[in-house]
Amino acid sequence: MSILVVGTVAFDSIETPSGSAERVLGGSASYFAVAASFFAPVQIVGVVGEDFPKEYLDLFTHRGIDLKGVRREAGATFHWRGRYHEDLNVRDTVELHLNVLSGFVPRLPEPYRDSEYVFLGNIDPQMQLQVLDQLRSFRLVACDTMDHWIQGSDRELRRVLGRIEMLVINDSEARLLSGEHNIVRAARSILKMGPKTVLIKRGEYGVLQFSDSAVFAVPAYPLEEVFDPTGAGDSFAGGFLGQLARSGDQSQGGLRRAIVYGSVVASFAVEDFGLKRLNSLSRDEIEERYRRFVKLTDFHS
Amino acid sequence: MSILVVGTVAFDSIETPSGSAERVLGGSASYFAVAASFFAPVQIVGVVGEDFPKEYLDLFTHRGIDLKGVRREAGATFHWRGRYHEDLNVRDTVELHLNVLSGFVPRLPEPYRDSEYVFLGNIDPQMQLQVLDQLRSFRLVACDTMDHWIQGSDRELRRVLGRIEMLVINDSEARLLSGEHNIVRAARSILKMGPKTVLIKRGEYGVLQFSDSAVFAVPAYPLEEVFDPTGAGDSFAGGFLGQLARSGDQSQGGLRRAIVYGSVVASFAVEDFGLKRLNSLSRDEIEERYRRFVKLTDFHS
């Protein structure tokens, strides 16, 4: 079962307490796609500029990722520059150049219109709606968003939420979207907006999953070194949807195990700058850390 | 197996976004003792002033808590006044009157000197050392501390840490004590100071347990309403040590289940002001929420 992701493919310039990296491969679709590719075939829809190097495209194709939906347009690639605080949960956006992303209209190659698993990465809700309009049949659509769209495109975002199955957002975004400070109330309020499942990412504190009938709470994998949290959320989403696509198991148990796989992939993603760690990762390492995760959290036996 | 707790018995005046309470029963020993009393017999060593009302003492005796070690001295009872922010993880101490607590020298009634389970609540490390000097034999000593002692009584605190089995502190205290921002490194560094086990309380995000050979991570029980976080940490410690005393099981599995029991009791403690909720709590409610906690976190089946 293949997975379609629509989102940004970008240059990231990153500064963390552990060091810095200039114009490395980034963007929501990039992290999601590489993370998901350990589990299932992945197709990206996105846009890059004339300055986007072949070696970055090769990173995708080496992992078997289908780039037929990635258009190259005149102009420069989307570029984000961010700086993390000593507390890695806090970051400042220093520069943001939309470049070719502004005015981008996602167009799905014909075969992608029947994708079973779809992830709408963090882009303009208007673009997310354009993707939804092009889908013919699908099994599951999950989406991400951010404070910028919650504040500026509330109407469009609400329309997206009415049409998708799952929302994957972080805790501060959940609070902003719902107007509720308490995270349980925030999730319950978001469930009323449409999604059947809300996944709330809490960074180093783990993930909460809410549906009408169940709540699941899981901690993050504790790490001695976090080099770069960039892309952790999209790597989580990629591992999560990847495992769902691999297993085809959308039972509560299947969702929970997929959340743990997502957490495992995210824990690798933050161990080095950009996509570096994910690009050297193996399936065996993922399975090995999944087993450690079981031991880390098990008090049931 | 009975449990001895040495700590504060206090008046707390509390303001939270949900309301306020004036001079209610508080203090580390009070929360710990009531929480632990659901699992095992508890003895308190502490001090109160002439103004301490009989009805507050009755709250302990109704739960079978042994008060032979609580001295009443000339002067006023220790009084803390605090205010919580909208983000309940942040609180300000508005007033702090040590009163009879200043110059207090804990004296253990003769039979207490053979207590098997001992909790040294958050008091002056000098007093914690005085308690350790009076213990003849014991199975397990756990202790708590806070930023004030870490910064002002480092030498005494290090001596305490060299003589105890377990340290139970929150994440910001762990960072301060170790000088490490990363919480895994912080815990590893504290293990080198003496304790065999370090429990790191992360409030609404749960608990991490570290020993040389194992790590355990567990989320907190998600609540729709948190009225008053005061005493959550001591209620956790009380439920934790209470369950250890009840089960006598200090295996890794036994420790983990005790951590979950502690989390369950703490989740009740914050549902109302002061000790109100714990005083109306039943053993059945604890067991029922423990089972919910298993369902909340289980992805292993």
Side-chain angles (χ1 to χ4, degrees), chain A residues 146-154 157 176:
Chain A
M146 71 185 292
D147 49 1
H148 181 74
W149 311 118
I150 296 169
Q151 285 164 326
S153 305
D154 185 58
L157 179 59
L176 188 65

Side-chain angles (χ1 to χ4, degrees), chain A residues 86 181-182 184-185 188 205 216-217 219 223-225 256-257 294-301, chain B residues 86 181-182 184-185 188 202 205 216-217 223-225 256-257 294-301:
Chain A
E86 173 79 5
H181 187 83
N182 176 286
V184 182
R185 291 194 196 202
R188 298 250 176 267
Y205 301 117
F216 175 53
L223 292 169
E224 287 209 29
E225 304 248 31
R256 287 176 174 209
R257 285 183 288 276
V294 171
K295 283 193 195 143
L296 169 78
T297 54
D298 189 16
F299 64 93
H300 308 89
S301 52
Chain B
E86 174 80 6
H181 188 83
N182 177 286
V184 183
R185 289 195 197 198
R188 298 250 178 265
R202 305 201 280 180
Y205 301 117
F216 175 54
L223 292 170
E224 285 209 28
E225 303 247 33
R256 288 176 173 212
R257 285 184 288 276
V294 170
K295 282 191 196 144
L296 168 79
T297 54
D298 190 16
F299 64 93
H300 311 87
S301 52

Side-chain angles (χ1 to χ4, degrees), chain B residues 47-284:
Chain B
V47 62
V48 295
E50 295 156 317
D51 55 354
F52 199 76
K54 184 175 172 304
E55 62 177 288
Y56 283 2
L57 294 173
D58 289 346
L59 290 173
F60 293 121
T61 48
H62 282 159
R63 292 218 46 81
I65 295 165
D66 181 344
L67 299 179
K68 277 198 294 291
V70 177
R71 286 212 307 278
R72 188 185 282 274
E73 291 197 351
T77 300
F78 175 50
H79 180 207
W80 174 77
R81 182 181 297 277
R83 189 181 293 135
Y84 289 85
H85 293 220
E86 174 80 6
D87 174 356
L88 292 168
N89 298 308
V90 187
R91 78 178 186 193
D92 303 320
T93 290
V94 181
E95 288 178 49
L96 188 76
H97 304 285
L98 289 179
N99 298 331
V100 293
L101 191 68
S102 77
F104 170 61
V105 179
R107 249 175 256 128
L108 273 52
E110 179 59 26
Y112 290 16
R113 298 181 59 195
D114 296 308
S115 298
E116 290 201 88
Y117 294 86
V118 180
F119 184 65
L120 305 175
N122 168 25
I123 48 172
D124 190 328
Q126 193 57 55
M127 293 180 194
Q128 295 178 323
L129 286 171
Q130 287 161 350
V131 174
L132 286 169
D133 288 341
Q134 292 171 69
L135 292 173
R136 254 190 311 247
S137 68
F138 50 84
R139 190 156 166 188
L140 187 137
V141 180
C143 112
D144 188 9
T145 192
M146 72 185 290
D147 48 3
H148 180 76
W149 310 120
I150 295 169
Q151 286 166 322
S153 306
D154 185 59
R155 209 163 54 95
E156 292 79 5
L157 179 59
R158 296 294 178 121
R159 284 174 56 207
V160 173
L161 294 178
R163 293 173 66 181
I164 59 153
E165 189 85 12
M166 288 193 191
L167 180 65
V168 184
I169 56 175
N170 72 33
D171 44 6
S172 66
E173 291 157 358
R175 291 189 169 107
L176 189 64
L177 177 58
S178 63
E180 294 278 1
H181 188 83
N182 177 286
I183 208 70
V184 183
R185 289 195 197 198
R188 298 250 178 265
S189 152
I190 294 169
L191 284 174
K192 294 204 183 93
M193 298 176 195
K196 297 263 185 304
T197 302
V198 175
L199 294 184
I200 295 178
K201 300 173 286 183
R202 305 201 280 180
E204 65 169 308
Y205 301 117
V207 175
L208 288 171
Q209 177 219 339
F210 293 87
S211 67
D212 274 345
S213 59
V215 182
F216 175 54
V218 68
Y221 189 83
L223 292 170
E224 285 209 28
E225 303 247 33
V226 175
F227 266 86
D228 174 15
T230 311
D234 292 305
S235 302
F236 165 78
F240 167 70
L241 268 191
Q243 167 61 16
L244 278 190
R246 175 172 77 163
S247 68
D249 179 2
Q250 274 171 238
S251 69
Q252 182 58 219
L255 286 175
R256 288 176 173 212
R257 285 184 288 276
I259 287 169
V260 175
Y261 272 106
S263 304
V264 165
V265 177
S267 76
F268 283 114
V270 302
E271 286 183 351
D272 206 335
F273 277 104
L275 278 153
K276 212 168 158 188
R277 184 67 184 91
L278 289 191
N279 274 315
S280 73
L281 190 62
S282 71
R283 276 290 304 274
D284 282 353

Side-chain angles (χ1 to χ4, degrees), chain A residues 72-259:
Chain A
R72 188 185 283 272
E73 292 196 351
T77 300
F78 175 50
H79 180 206
W80 173 78
R81 182 181 297 277
R83 188 180 295 135
Y84 288 85
H85 293 218
E86 173 79 5
D87 174 356
L88 293 168
N89 298 307
V90 187
R91 77 178 186 194
D92 303 321
T93 290
V94 180
E95 288 178 50
L96 188 74
H97 305 285
L98 289 178
N99 300 331
V100 292
L101 190 67
S102 76
F104 170 62
V105 179
R107 249 176 257 130
L108 272 53
E110 178 60 24
Y112 290 16
R113 297 182 60 197
D114 297 307
S115 298
E116 290 201 88
Y117 294 86
V118 181
F119 184 66
L120 306 174
N122 170 25
I123 48 173
D124 191 330
Q126 194 57 55
M127 294 180 193
Q128 295 178 323
L129 287 170
Q130 287 162 350
V131 175
L132 286 169
D133 288 342
Q134 293 171 70
L135 292 173
R136 255 189 310 246
S137 69
F138 49 83
R139 193 160 164 185
L140 188 138
V141 180
C143 114
D144 188 10
T145 191
M146 71 185 292
D147 49 1
H148 181 74
W149 311 118
I150 296 169
Q151 285 164 326
S153 305
D154 185 58
R155 211 163 54 92
E156 292 79 5
L157 179 59
R158 295 294 177 122
R159 285 173 57 208
V160 173
L161 293 178
R163 294 172 66 181
I164 59 153
E165 189 86 12
M166 288 193 190
L167 180 65
V168 185
I169 56 176
N170 72 34
D171 44 5
S172 65
E173 290 157 0
R175 291 191 170 105
L176 188 65
L177 177 59
S178 63
E180 293 279 1
H181 187 83
N182 176 286
I183 207 71
V184 182
R185 291 194 196 202
R188 298 250 176 267
S189 154
I190 294 168
L191 284 173
K192 294 203 184 90
M193 298 175 194
K196 298 266 186 301
T197 302
V198 175
L199 294 184
I200 295 180
K201 300 173 286 182
R202 305 202 280 182
E204 66 169 307
Y205 301 117
V207 175
L208 288 172
Q209 176 219 342
F210 293 87
S211 68
D212 274 345
S213 59
V215 183
F216 175 53
V218 69
Y221 190 82
L223 292 169
E224 287 209 29
E225 304 248 31
V226 175
F227 265 86
D228 175 14
T230 310
D234 291 305
S235 303
F236 165 78
F240 167 71
L241 268 192
Q243 166 63 16
L244 278 190
R246 173 171 77 163
S247 68
D249 179 2
Q250 276 173 238
S251 69
Q252 181 58 221
L255 286 175
R256 287 176 174 209
R257 285 183 288 276
I259 288 169

